[in-house]
Amino acid sequence: MPASVAAAAGGRGLARLRPRLGLSGKLLAFTLAFVVLAEVLIMVPAVAAFRLNWLSDRLAAARTAALVLDAAPEGMIQPQLTQELLNSVGAITVALKRNDTRRLLASSDMPPEVDHHADVRDVGPWQAVSEALDTLMARDGRIIRAVGTPPRGDGFVEIVLDETPLRKAMLRFTRNILLISLAVTALTGALVYYGLAWMFVAPMRRLTQRMIAFRESPETTPIPLGPVQRFDEIGQAEREFGAMQKQIVDTLQQQNHLAALGLAVSKINHDLRNLLASAQLLSDRLTMISDPAVQRFAPKLVAALDRAIAYCEQSLSYGRAQEPAPQRRKVELARLVGEVRDQLGFGTAEEAAGIRWIASVERGLEVDADPDQLFRVLLNLSRNAIEAMAARAPNDPARDQLRITGRRDGAIVVIEVADTGPGVPDKAREHLFKPFQSSTRRGGTGLGLTIAAELMRAHGGSVRLVPGTIGATFQISIPDRPLDLDAHRALRSHG
């Protein structure tokens, strides 16, 4: 099995595997964890506060009873009344300490041994929680001594009581608060879960499904139309994925176009080369005719056929991985521009047809370039200009003009190909030098500007569209090659 097929099969297998815990499961676990945490944070402090309030209520009742017992003369209160006061407090004994005197005000029986001490006058939060847990885990029948503030003055009031009623009350309170808080937190957790699932999990699942579908079939997966309504990170992710999806589809279409173009060229290349070779043989016979007109045009025809055969042998240069390296030498620019003019068939008839050719090149200007490649660049740009102006026929030589200028700017030769046509549309400007995207003419391949830019980059130069001009003006910049050190010394010695 080829590696690509195995990789594709492996990718499809991975796509079918479902994670054990997806986003929904993780969100549910996350919500449950916070529900439990919220339950603990609610219940533990509430139980600790309930214990302190329960003891404070007993001590408040003990303070009231202490006022009655302390105000009555000793021996004047009946034992039955004392027992009723103790029952109302829920204590076994009530004692009052004032100054340095501690007085037992009431006691039902012989005071039992105290197992635990509780002072509610100054209790911190952590101490309250730890003592509440201690009470919940205590055995039944444990005796505690509780101390609180006295009715008046300094000292304290203390009661000794059985902790079992407190523990049972705390358990009932814990059960009630647990049920209530569970209901509240469960409702809140459900709302949070479904809200997050609707806002985040569902869009992420849709985006993931789009990614999987696009990976399995990038050329047939539809691209969603219309703008994304969300403006958060998920919306940004959807917009970026849509843009990436469109770019990849465009790239695949270009690759398919290139593949189809390469296949077509490979089919016609052999036959076309034979036809051009036959035409070359016939053109060689034309040079033997003594007619002046034939002698004038025959060399140009031979040169054009030679170039065509060379291009054919290269099997369409853009179809290759890269253009051949330029064979640079000093070339007279005016002569090369004249060859482009002759190749395009410009003459009196063409100017009468409505398009005027204007060449303005500095006298004796030479450019350090590959003549064949520079010829191709000038020919492509000039042909594009002619086709743009011919589209608004009938043409007028006073209006429709093609101008080629050349000048030297330091170590750079600047060539401009300008026309007075309708200009380059804004839509075409965005992809001006990209293959198959720059052409606005029906039947055009969109390769002319791409080839021109590639050839000039090989020279270390550039081709750019000059903004703000009438029609379209393309500027070619070709820098001179750095002078070899030995050659520079030789020139200086001869100088």
Side-chain angles (χ1 to χ4, degrees):
M1 180 182 293
S4 58
V5 177
R12 289 191 294 269
L14 289 176
R16 289 192 295 268
L17 291 177
R18 292 184 177 274
R20 294 183 179 180
L21 192 63
L23 279 180
S24 298
K26 292 179 180 178
L27 179 60
L28 179 60
F30 184 78
T31 305
L32 291 177
F34 270 88
V35 166
V36 173
L37 179 62
E39 180 68 26
V40 172
L41 294 177
I42 292 173
M43 184 178 65
V44 172
V47 173
F50 177 83
R51 175 180 177 276
L52 290 177
N53 292 333
W54 193 92
L55 291 176
S56 298
D57 292 341
R58 297 302 181 272
L59 288 170
R63 283 194 293 270
T64 304
L67 290 174
V68 175
L69 296 172
D70 189 43
E74 186 175 358
M76 293 299 294
I77 299 180
Q78 296 297 325
Q80 183 179 359
L81 179 59
T82 301
Q83 187 62 44
E84 291 178 358
L85 289 175
L86 290 173
N87 292 336
S88 64
V89 175
I92 300 174
T93 63
V94 176
L96 179 65
K97 182 180 183 300
R98 185 174 297 162
N99 297 326
D100 294 332
T101 303
R102 182 176 181 276
R103 180 183 175 190
L104 181 63
L105 298 178
S107 177
S108 59
D109 293 312
M110 179 64 64
E113 183 179 355
V114 175
D115 300 319
H116 184 72
H117 296 272
D119 191 343
V120 300
R121 290 175 295 180
D122 186 14
V123 182
W126 294 112
Q127 182 182 356
V129 170
S130 63
E131 290 184 354
L133 295 177
D134 180 71
T135 300
L136 289 174
M137 293 184 293
R139 58 179 175 80
D140 289 341
R142 188 172 75 165
I143 304 300
I144 65 171
R145 172 178 172 267
V147 178
T149 56
R152 57 178 181 270
D154 298 331
F156 58 83
V157 61
E158 67 176 45
I159 58 176
V160 175
L161 70 163
D162 187 353
E163 195 182 28
T164 302
L166 171 60
R167 181 172 174 272
K168 291 181 178 179
M170 289 177 62
L171 289 174
R172 289 192 299 270
F173 177 79
T174 302
R175 181 192 61 192
N176 295 335
I177 196 66
L178 178 63
L179 294 176
I180 295 174
S181 58
L182 274 178
V184 173
T185 52
L187 178 61
T188 305
L191 293 176
V192 171
Y193 172 79
Y194 285 109
L196 292 178
W198 174 69
M199 293 177 62
F200 301 107
V201 177
M204 288 301 299
R205 184 180 293 114
R206 290 195 300 268
L207 184 59
T208 303
Q209 292 173 351
R210 282 179 53 193
M211 291 180 180
I212 295 174
F214 181 69
R215 186 196 63 184
E216 294 179 348
S217 181
E219 296 182 351
T220 59
T221 302
I223 300 176
L225 301 177
V228 179
Q229 301 299 325
R230 298 183 61 143
F231 297 97
D232 55 5
E233 288 78 1
I234 294 181
Q236 183 179 0
E238 291 179 345
R239 284 188 292 271
E240 293 297 330
F241 176 71
M244 181 191 69
Q245 187 177 358
K246 185 177 183 303
Q247 291 177 358
I248 293 177
V249 171
D250 292 342
T251 302
L252 291 175
Q253 291 177 352
Q254 292 180 19
Q255 290 179 349
N256 292 336
H257 197 167
L258 281 172
L261 180 62
L263 180 61
V265 169
S266 65
K267 290 180 178 179
I268 67 174
N269 183 54
H270 181 267
D271 294 337
L272 179 60
R273 185 167 48 189
N274 291 337
L275 292 174
L276 290 174
S278 300
Q280 189 179 35
L281 292 175
L282 295 176
S283 65
D284 290 339
R285 294 184 180 182
L286 290 177
T287 59
M288 303 177 183
I289 301 176
S290 59
D291 185 272
V294 175
Q295 292 296 323
R296 176 186 175 189
F297 290 107
K300 297 178 180 179
L301 177 60
V302 172
L305 288 173
D306 289 341
R307 285 196 179 98
I309 292 174
Y311 296 159
C312 187
E313 290 176 349
Q314 293 177 5
S315 301
L316 189 60
S317 297
Y318 190 79
R320 298 174 53 177
Q322 60 181 5
E323 290 283 350
Q327 304 297 318
R328 301 179 67 168
R329 65 176 186 270
K330 293 291 185 180
V331 180
E332 186 179 350
L333 183 58
R335 182 181 63 80
L336 195 63
V337 171
E339 293 180 7
V340 173
R341 179 180 183 273
D342 294 338
Q343 181 69 30
L344 292 173
F346 264 90
T348 305
E350 284 73 17
E351 291 180 359
I355 298 178
R356 183 181 179 186
W357 172 279
I358 302 175
S360 177
V361 180
E362 290 182 1
R363 184 182 299 273
L365 177 60
E366 291 185 336
V367 56
D368 184 12
D370 185 316
D372 290 335
Q373 293 187 358
L374 183 56
F375 176 86
R376 291 171 60 189
V377 173
L378 294 176
L379 184 64
N380 282 332
L381 295 177
S382 301
R383 183 176 285 116
N384 288 345
I386 293 171
E387 292 173 350
M389 290 184 290
R392 58 182 187 184
N395 299 110
D396 182 1
R399 180 193 63 180
D400 301 318
Q401 299 177 358
L402 172 60
R403 179 185 295 270
I404 297 183
T405 63
R407 68 181 188 278
R408 175 169 289 280
D409 186 5
I412 300 176
V413 174
V414 179
I415 307 171
E416 290 187 351
V417 180
D419 64 70
T420 57
V424 180
D426 293 337
K427 184 178 180 180
R429 290 174 186 263
E430 300 177 0
H431 311 284
L432 196 57
F433 297 102
K434 294 182 179 180
F436 309 115
Q437 298 188 31
S438 59
S439 177
T440 59
R441 177 177 57 87
R442 181 179 178 85
T445 62
L447 286 174
L449 292 178
T450 306
I451 294 174
E454 183 177 346
L455 292 174
M456 288 300 98
R457 280 197 299 268
H459 284 74
S462 63
V463 179
R464 70 180 186 92
L465 177 66
V466 180
T469 61
I470 298 175
T473 300
F474 286 90
Q475 185 181 89
I476 304 170
S477 300
I478 305 177
D480 295 338
R481 283 177 295 174
L483 189 61
D484 183 73
L485 183 59
D486 295 335
H488 181 64
R489 290 173 178 171
L491 288 176
R492 292 187 60 184
S493 64
H494 283 87

